């Protein structure tokens, strides 16, 4: 199994919206990707919550049966379509994939 974790820190304002609005839009777009390829397991998107420690605004935690399933997700047109918006609103991005 491959675990794929991505975190984004967003700009204060971008694409005509504030950070919180863009974070909610990112979550909606990512949530819509749940189950788009075979071999995708857990797929969880969360936003930073007031009162809890967070250095990033949006996090994706996902699991894939194998590297082929992860690659299928990364190359899927629905996932690719997210990239322009995400690039426009993000300030930083961190990613880690690891096999268990």
């Amino acid at each position: 199994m491959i675990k794929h974790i991505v975190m984004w820190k967003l700009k204060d304002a971008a694409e005509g919206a504030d950070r919180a609005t863009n974070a909610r839009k990112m979550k909606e777009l990512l949530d819509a990707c749940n189950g788009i390829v075979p071999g995708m397991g857990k797929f969880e998107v969360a936003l930073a919550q007031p009162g809890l420690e967070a250095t990033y605004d949006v996090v994706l935690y996902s699991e894939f049966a194998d590297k082929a399933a992860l690659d299928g997700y990364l190359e899927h047109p629905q996932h690719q379509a997210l990239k322009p918006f995400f690039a426009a609103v993000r300030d930083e991005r961190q990613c880690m994939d690891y096999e268990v």
Side-chain angles (χ1 to χ4, degrees), residues 6-80:
V6 187
M7 298 182 298
W8 296 269
K9 186 179 292 190
L10 305 185
K11 296 175 183 174
D12 288 333
E15 298 294 291
D18 64 11
R19 178 185 299 215
T21 301
N22 285 331
R24 287 190 301 272
K25 182 174 180 180
M26 285 182 75
K27 181 175 180 356
E28 290 172 14
L29 292 168
L30 284 166
D31 283 340
C33 289
N34 193 358
I36 62 173
V37 295
M40 179 185 277
K42 191 169 195 168
F43 194 87
E44 182 177 282
V45 183
L47 303 179
Q49 297 177 353
L52 297 176
E53 184 177 351
T55 55
Y56 282 77
D57 300 299
V58 182
V59 64
L60 166 66
Y61 172 85
S62 52
E63 297 175 353
F64 296 86
D66 51 31
K67 183 147 179 2
L70 173 59
D71 289 344
Y73 165 69
L74 295 175
E75 296 166 8
H76 193 281
Q78 189 171 339
H79 176 263
Q80 290 293 316

